[in-house]
Amino acid sequence: MIVGGCGGPLSTLDTAGPASSDVATLWWVMLSGAAMLTLLVLTLLLLAFSPRNRPFKNGGRLWICWLGVAMPSAVLTALLGYALILGEGSIAEPVPGRVTVEATGHQWYWTFRQPGSNSVIATRGVLHIPVGQPVDVRVGSADVIHSFWVPRLGGKMDAIPGQINILRIQADRSGVFEGQCAEFCGLNHATNRFRVVAHDERDWARFQQEGGR
Amino acid sequence: MNALRHHRALTEIWGTPRGWRGTMISVNHSDIGKRFILAAFAFFAIGGVLAMLIRAQLATPDSAFVGPAIYNQLFTMHGSIMMFLFAIPMFEGLALYLLPKMLGSRDMAFPRLSAYGWWCYLFGGTILIAALVLGVAPDGGWFMYTPLSSKIYTPGINADVWLLGITFVEISAMAAAIEICVSILKLRAPGMRLDRMPPFAWYLLITAMMMIVAFPPLILGSILLELERAFDWPFFDPAHGGSPLLWQHLFWLFGHPEVYIIFLPAAGVVSTVLPVMARTQILGYGAIVAALIALAFLSFGLWVHHMFTTGIPHMALGFFSAASALVAVPTALQIFAWIGTLWNGRPELKLPMLYLLGFFLVFVLGGLTGVMLAMVPFDGQAHDSYFVVAHLHYVLVGGFIFPMMAGAYYWLPHFSGRSRVPRLGEAAFWMILVGFNLTFFLMHLTGLLGMPRRIYTYTDDMGWTWLNLLSSVGSFVMAFGFALFALDVGLQIALSRRSRRNPWGAGTLEWAMPIPAPAYNFASQPEVADRDPLSGDPLLALKLARGEGYLAQARHGWRETMAVDSSSGAIDHVVILPGNSRLPIVTAAVTGCFFLSVLMGYYWMALLPVMAVIGLGWRWAWALGSRADVGPMAIGKGQTALVHREAAGGPAWWGSIFLLVADSVLLASLLFGYAFLWVVAPNWPPPQTIDGGLGVAIMTALSGSAAVFLARRSEASGRQGSLGMAGQTAIGAACAHGASAIGLLVIGITALPPPSNHAYAAVAWVLLAYGILHALVALLCAAFVRARIGGGYISARRFREFEITRLFGDYSGMVILIILLCLFMPSIAL
């Protein structure tokens, strides 16, 4: 469900996979909480200027113990618990048989390698994945630090020279999803873009056979 | 003596000569503080212009206003200037100007050091701005991530300008931090217990302590990266056992506490101004101090939240996420303590209060988005997007600029002696508030719609066009607001009518003096019995001017001020501060020559200014002291006290302690790097490790220990008055320190592989260099004491220089042992 004005090729709110839609839900929950807290603070501030006699004079315990410590602690504990459970579900754990692709950041393009039916398929600028199943992306770098980010599918993962980081993405429907390098990587960082194409079952089989040609 | 003659006598002693000569030699804290504030505002204007260029470029899609090469310099310099040349120097200036006045003292503990810090800041900042004008400014982001900032990917001097220029400026931050700590702990009015200090002093004390711990990791990181760029020592190169993540850890170990280092002084302004605006006292003084201390500790435990997407272990993610959320609690406590204070009092909507309300709105929003970003899954999406740009501006502008603007209007009468021009300030406030929110509130959405940071352009089909245009419009409204503020301040200083004393009816001591403030602050120092001395005794200013406090007598041309016991505030001794001097500007200029030589790549030539700095440092210390004993001297109210040269725990001792704490944090960061690379970096273990040298190491350790022992013998002889013996033993200690330095060098040459071979060898060489440097410093200290004995500066009463020497000698002996253990233990154990 797209709220008006939240669409766009790189929108984190126009979600197309489980990871990104979990985060979008988390965002809407946090937004409403933050709005309520802001309202609380502003109301208390305004009331301080009202001329009538105010209660809670010298109410150190109310201001400091309850509002200052207990309230934020309770809110934060609940939020942390929610976020930790959400994070737990999105960890990339090795599972045999899962589609695994290698993504390598360069100045200023991306290359991808993945096993095909006959040989290794190497692509540049476009990553092909199947719809409806999790894909492990092994993110690495050929030169400086980059970051692999397809906002409509999920969070980002840095491409750091000398190490491989694993990110799990999943597309719930077929289509083309825009990706963007998210870590500043020099002169043409702005145009360091790529695409993810999610194939349905028939297209995916054909891609694996023909290597995307 | 009547008040006017007294004023003239004190001004003669504390004042600054007119004209250029006075400008160059002044060490007075009010002069230096005002210069810091003015220069910081000038740099703020430059940083602001860069921001406007950024917004002009981003206002429309596919803009051809500036290309990526210039754009990258713009945002790198905008961030670096605002952090290092504006925010930190601005609060340093405010602290230098205000602290002695609030604490009832006459100056900071190390006036020449403040002046040196000022010149370092000015010269370092000038190097950075010159690079910007010449088009060779840093362009790798203010965070300078390796390997982008390494030699292969940034071959020009752009990155060197950042590393050297910022390190030069950081000298002033370290100087200010040490000075603030010592001044707050020692130079207060008699009777001012720790729990009677104004809240602002607490905030600055905690901030300065945080700076002492937070800056060394960044200084170390800058040194290592400069070594890698200049000499190929591969600390951050994974092909040779380095790790790009080591830079990120060192950078954010500094970078996150830095945010609180900027916020806390401004929060101190809130805690000072807000109760006065509400005609009451702060609610929960003790709870706020406790929250500050908690904040200081927590802020060092959450640097990794800048690195959530670097693929760090999952447990670490959970820990740092929780810590990042937890830090909101002490902040929330302060927010509600302030609101509670308003409820207790009768708040009035004067201009400073207006800015405080702006602070509440903006900072609370920034804090809430901060909690959102602490949640790892959300950070995965928002990290490095415009959502973070929005968040950080809400926190920094809300948490620093709005309170500082409140402070500016609150203390301007103190600086200028004049009252405000009506209405102009309100107009500026509304333009800044509306412009700011228009610019940055929309950026939350821009970020969620996927706009990454640091891109110089975008296409129309991304859906960010209208958001960016509105942000740009807002930024120009805000810029006009700041211009109006500058105009308002200028008019107030130039044209406005004179203000009465203490125009806000405040209770703190900075208002217990004529405005603008005289060079000596207080004609006599007050005795403090509660937190708001001026509220309890409205005639205090007059009494002090009449000389009814401590140290009312102007004698011998001495700049005298009281030192107290650091916690109880009981009278401890009298400090005689050094007067105006050319040394600070000369030393800073020579220091600048060192940085320029390295920047130009003349590495051997850089040794010349190093020698010169050593010579100047010697003179610096030599200029203090006395050849005669003073004994107990009258301080007024029928009491006597010793001068600092003859008393235990003088400013020099405290300053040395804080300097050594900073120094040991640098060593600890280096050892952290050593362990981190060993455990985490690829291509370990190294092809060659240390080979042999154990015999030399044992001899080096022995000679380091002998030096420590000899220094103690020397001090014992000196205290007993047998100065000949003390001098000879000091020479012995100096030789032993020299022998340790040579021993460390021999180990490096004979047993270690060359530093460019592997990160292991590079770190090992840096450890050795650290040990050699400290052995040489200890050598100089011991030689200095010998020379002072010869010069007649040491007597059975005046032997405190031994104590300083011992501190540096002990430290050197200790670090040599630690370094040798770290070098040899792994190879023995393996």
Side-chain angles (χ1 to χ4, degrees), chain A residues 10 12 27 38 44 54 57-58 63 67 76 88 91 143 145 149 151 156 158 163 165 182-183 187 189 193, chain B residues 68 146 153 245 248 309-310 314 325 336 340 343-345 347 368 375 380-381 383-384 448-450 454 461-462:
Chain A
L10 285 171
T12 62
W27 153 250
T38 311
L44 290 175
R54 288 178 300 271
K57 279 244 174 206
N58 303 316
W63 292 107
L67 283 168
L76 288 171
E88 206 69 33
I91 306 167
D143 37 53
I145 300 177
W149 188 31
K156 54 185 73 73
D158 290 356
Q163 73 184 65
N165 291 330
E183 183 63 67
L187 193 66
H189 166 57
R193 302 269 299 274
Chain B
T146 59
Y153 301 106
L245 284 186
Q248 296 195 17
T309 61
T310 58
H314 181 238
F336 286 107
W343 277 56
N344 281 348
L368 289 169
M375 302 302 127
Q381 285 285 29
H383 180 71
D384 271 330
L448 291 173
L449 293 187
R454 304 173 184 123
D461 57 345
M462 289 296 149

Side-chain angles (χ1 to χ4, degrees), chain B residues 61-381:
Chain B
D62 301 312
S63 166
F65 177 58
V66 294
I70 294 180
Y71 186 82
N72 292 350
Q73 293 187 23
L74 289 180
F75 73 72
T76 301
M77 286 299 284
H78 169 70
S80 306
I81 287 176
M82 290 306 195
M83 283 282 178
F84 296 105
L85 301 184
F86 163 62
I88 295 175
M90 181 58 94
F91 80 70
E92 280 168 13
L94 193 69
L96 286 176
Y97 181 87
L98 277 181
L99 275 176
K101 299 180 175 74
M102 284 188 155
L103 298 172
S105 171
R106 282 176 173 161
D107 207 324
M108 300 292 283
F110 309 110
R112 295 178 305 170
L113 190 63
S114 346
Y116 174 64
W118 150 252
W119 293 114
C120 284
Y121 161 55
L122 184 69
F123 296 158
T126 309
I127 292 178
L128 284 162
I129 301 301
L132 184 66
V133 173
L134 296 174
V136 290
D139 56 1
W142 85 283
F143 45 89
M144 293 290 288
Y145 275 6
T146 59
L148 182 60
S149 57
S150 303
K151 198 79 181 176
I152 349 171
Y153 301 106
T154 307
I157 67 163
N158 310 54
D160 304 304
V161 169
W162 193 95
L163 294 169
L164 296 165
I166 296 295
T167 305
F168 193 13
V169 171
E170 274 156 15
I171 293 179
S172 83
M174 290 310 296
I178 291 171
E179 173 153 66
I180 288 171
C181 284
V182 177
S183 303
I184 294 176
L185 287 176
K186 290 305 288 182
L187 300 194
R188 305 198 297 265
M192 188 181 278
R193 296 192 317 234
L194 273 185
D195 63 346
R196 286 177 185 159
M197 290 203 307
F200 188 73
W202 270 112
Y203 279 89
L204 260 300
L205 179 64
I206 304 286
T207 306
M209 287 182 169
M210 288 174 68
M211 288 170 79
I212 284 173
V213 183
F215 275 75
L218 177 64
I219 294 174
L220 175 73
S222 302
I223 293 172
L224 298 186
L225 185 49
E226 190 53 38
L227 283 173
E228 176 173 303
R229 289 180 55 84
F231 305 115
D232 280 331
W233 294 23
F235 303 100
F236 308 108
D237 175 9
H240 296 94
S243 166
L245 284 186
L246 174 60
W247 169 265
Q248 296 195 17
H249 280 293
L250 291 175
F251 186 84
W252 292 117
L253 251 173
F254 147 81
H256 200 80
E258 158 84 347
V259 176
Y260 294 91
I261 287 168
I262 290 176
F263 166 61
L264 286 186
V269 171
V270 177
S271 284
T272 308
V273 176
L274 184 134
V276 178
M277 291 295 124
R279 306 174 162 280
T280 180
Q281 285 170 338
I282 188 95
L283 176 76
Y285 178 96
I288 287 180
V289 171
L292 290 181
I293 294 169
L295 205 66
F297 278 101
L298 283 173
S299 73
F300 283 94
L302 37 89
W303 79 93
V304 173
H305 74 210
H306 295 267
M307 301 165 63
F308 278 162
T309 61
T310 58
I312 53 170
H314 181 238
M315 276 303 288
L317 287 181
F319 172 82
F320 285 102
S321 174
S324 307
L326 196 62
V327 80
V329 174
T331 313
L333 186 150
Q334 288 180 76
I335 297 275
F336 286 107
W338 289 323
I339 299 178
T341 306
L342 291 179
W343 277 56
N344 281 348
R346 285 175 290 121
E348 293 175 322
L349 264 185
K350 292 176 177 159
L351 188 53
M353 189 70 227
L354 223 47
Y355 273 105
L356 290 181
L357 290 179
F359 150 76
F360 276 107
L361 172 72
V362 174
F363 184 71
V364 166
L365 288 175
L368 289 169
T369 53
V371 170
M372 295 178 187
L373 287 169
M375 302 302 127
V376 179
F378 182 68
D379 185 71
Q381 285 285 29

Side-chain angles (χ1 to χ4, degrees), chain B residues 496-772:
Chain B
S496 193
R497 64 195 157 78
R498 290 201 64 82
S499 163
R500 61 195 161 87
R501 277 189 192 186
N502 196 4
W504 310 103
T508 39
L509 280 174
E510 82 272 27
W511 298 104
M513 61 180 70
I515 53 173
Y520 52 83
N521 288 348
F522 300 97
S524 61
Q525 285 185 264
E527 167 100 44
V528 171
D530 57 28
R531 262 178 228 156
D532 293 292
L534 205 49
S535 313
D537 184 2
L539 295 177
L540 185 63
L542 284 178
K543 290 181 186 166
L544 294 179
R546 283 203 299 262
E548 291 175 20
Y550 291 102
L551 297 181
Q553 208 181 345
R555 54 190 159 190
H556 317 303
W558 285 353
R559 297 192 172 191
E560 298 172 23
T561 192
M562 295 301 305
V564 297
D565 178 85
S566 53
S567 61
S568 74
I571 290 173
D572 199 350
H573 55 261
V574 178
V575 178
I576 301 173
L577 294 168
N580 295 330
S581 160
R582 268 192 310 273
L583 272 174
I585 184 169
V586 174
T587 314
V590 174
T591 315
C593 289
F594 167 78
F595 283 103
L596 282 177
S597 317
V598 178
L599 184 61
M600 301 299 169
Y602 302 134
Y603 300 114
W604 289 108
M605 222 177 80
L607 291 176
L608 270 178
V610 171
M611 306 300 284
V613 165
I614 293 172
L616 287 163
W618 187 286
R619 260 203 68 74
W620 193 291
W622 194 270
L624 301 177
S626 156
R627 288 196 173 90
D629 292 340
V630 176
M633 55 192 253
I635 57 171
K637 301 196 178 186
Q639 298 178 43
T640 61
L642 291 172
V643 292
H644 70 285
R645 297 192 280 269
E646 298 168 15
W653 188 85
W654 282 88
S656 303
I657 292 284
F658 283 114
L659 178 62
L660 289 175
V661 169
D663 204 0
S664 56
V665 175
L666 189 92
L667 178 62
S669 313
L670 184 57
L671 294 176
F672 161 78
Y674 186 45
F676 176 82
L677 289 178
W678 201 297
V679 175
V680 172
N683 295 317
W684 282 69
Q688 291 167 274
T689 53
I690 196 159
D691 185 16
L694 194 59
V696 187
I698 291 171
M699 277 157 64
T700 307
L702 286 177
S703 95
S705 313
V708 168
F709 171 73
L710 286 171
R712 283 184 156 59
R713 290 298 303 273
S714 168
E715 183 179 345
S717 311
R719 279 180 189 242
Q720 288 157 10
S722 47
L723 293 176
M725 183 67 189
Q728 281 166 10
T729 344
I731 289 287
C735 293
H737 283 305
S740 338
I742 294 171
L744 291 174
L745 191 62
V746 169
I747 293 172
I749 293 169
T750 59
L752 274 181
S756 54
N757 160 292
H758 190 269
Y760 163 81
V763 173
W765 270 99
V766 174
L767 280 170
L768 286 180
Y770 183 91
I772 292 171

